[in-house]
Amino acid sequence: MYLHANAKLGLAGRFALVRAIEDGLSLKQAAAAFSVSPATAHRWWHRWLEAGEEARRTLSCLRDRSSRPRRSPRQLAPELEQAICVCRRETGWGPRLVAGATGFAHSTVWKVLRRARISRPPQMAKEPPNRYEWPCPGDLLHMDTSRYARFLRPGHRVTGDRSQSLRGRGKQTLIGYDFAHASSTTTRGSRSSNSTPTRKPRP
């Protein structure tokens, strides 16, 4: 049975509510006893009164009713819905392409396909998994392999030689930078001294 997500009472609780009212409780007293509003108690009590013997026996009168309207005057005619469904089955197109082919709005086509339960393509049947079993453990050996990066030479953890570490290469790079910086500074100084004009003595 489908129950509303926020339903306070289930089917058994609704039946107990109407039985309590039949036994003499007022609507307000029954509502307070079952922790519901008087409007809720009134709704279920009057549905119970308006129901027939068969509905009371099966408790169908105490089930949630569909919220679908009784009439939908703006709904497409059955022959138009059939044309949309035929286009969908023959082409396999989605709602937008079907809408362009049939001349209806995309939202209308989507609702029609959803009501017909063909809004999504059928799922392909999956093959059963290929399982294997061996009578005794250890008959089949499983190996896990990994690929590691290649090294040109082993590191100091293996050789114990720290003379070729990154720190040594860093010093060499620093010395080279200082030498280049000093050379460029000397060159700029010589150029600036050579380009300085000499003033002639005043007569």
Side-chain angles (χ1 to χ4, degrees), residues 13-123:
R14 296 167 186 176
F15 180 65
L17 174 67
V18 297
R19 292 300 300 270
I21 298 175
E22 282 183 340
D23 292 340
L25 289 182
S26 63
L27 292 177
K28 290 185 178 180
Q29 293 174 348
F34 288 86
S35 301
V36 295
S37 63
T40 301
H42 181 273
R43 177 172 66 252
W44 295 121
W45 172 242
H46 279 268
R47 285 191 185 181
W48 179 262
L49 291 179
E50 296 171 358
E53 290 294 333
E54 182 64 21
R56 290 187 180 185
R57 186 181 62 82
T58 59
L59 301 182
S60 60
C61 58
L62 299 179
R63 300 177 185 270
D64 288 335
R65 294 177 179 175
S66 176
S67 58
R68 179 181 175 85
R70 297 181 180 179
R71 294 180 61 256
S72 300
R74 301 185 63 181
Q75 185 175 343
L76 290 181
E79 56 272 13
L80 299 180
E81 293 188 356
Q82 184 65 22
I84 294 176
C85 295
V86 169
C87 180
R88 164 68 172 177
R89 292 190 180 97
E90 291 181 351
T91 61
W93 291 344
R96 294 191 181 277
L97 293 179
V98 174
T102 57
F104 296 103
H106 164 253
S107 58
T108 302
V109 172
W110 181 82
K111 292 178 182 178
V112 171
L113 298 180
R114 186 179 182 184
R115 283 196 297 267
R117 300 183 181 274
I118 55 175
S119 57
R120 294 186 178 183
Q123 297 182 355

Side-chain angles (χ1 to χ4, degrees), residues 151-156 161-178:
F151 296 92
L152 299 178
R153 58 182 179 81
H156 67 272
D161 182 12
R162 294 178 177 267
S163 61
Q164 300 296 329
S165 62
L166 293 177
R167 185 178 301 176
R169 289 199 295 270
K171 290 182 179 179
Q172 296 174 4
T173 305
L174 183 60
I175 293 174
Y177 172 78
D178 291 342

Side-chain angles (χ1 to χ4, degrees), residues 124-132:
M124 300 295 294
K126 296 182 179 180
E127 297 182 358
N130 186 14
R131 301 182 182 275
Y132 56 91

